[in-house]
Amino acid sequence: MEEEIILVHDGVVYAASYTDLGDEILVLLPDGTQRTTILRGLTPESAAMTHLRGYVSSLNVGLK
């Protein structure tokens, strides 16, 4: 099932969708790139949020 996570940073809303594949997730970032993570006990939402934060950070807007 596909879920969505949202991160608001400096008033800008960033959203990514992710699919829980059991022991891993597939994350679709706002620019269309995909990332996967083996969960190893992480919740799918927290693992997906890590990817979204990394994406936002790569835009040079910086996360505090």
Side-chain angles (χ1 to χ4, degrees), residues 27-39:
V27 181
L28 180 61
L29 295 170
D31 65 355
T33 59
Q34 296 180 355
R35 302 285 187 269
T36 59
T37 295
I38 297 174
L39 294 173

Side-chain angles (χ1 to χ4, degrees), residues 3 7 14 20 23 26 43 46-47 54 59 64:
E3 301 285 337
L7 173 66
Y14 300 92
D20 185 347
D23 60 347
L26 173 66
T43 65
S46 68
L59 299 176
K64 298 177 185 170

Side-chain angles (χ1 to χ4, degrees), residues 3 9-12 14-15 21 24 26-27 33-35 38-39 42-43 45 47 52 55-58 60 64:
E3 301 285 337
H9 179 68
D10 288 340
V12 179
Y14 300 92
L21 303 172
E24 70 178 340
L26 173 66
V27 181
T33 59
Q34 296 180 355
R35 302 285 187 269
I38 297 174
L39 294 173
L42 295 172
T43 65
E45 184 175 344
L52 185 55
Y55 167 79
V56 172
S57 180
S58 75
N60 295 319
K64 298 177 185 170

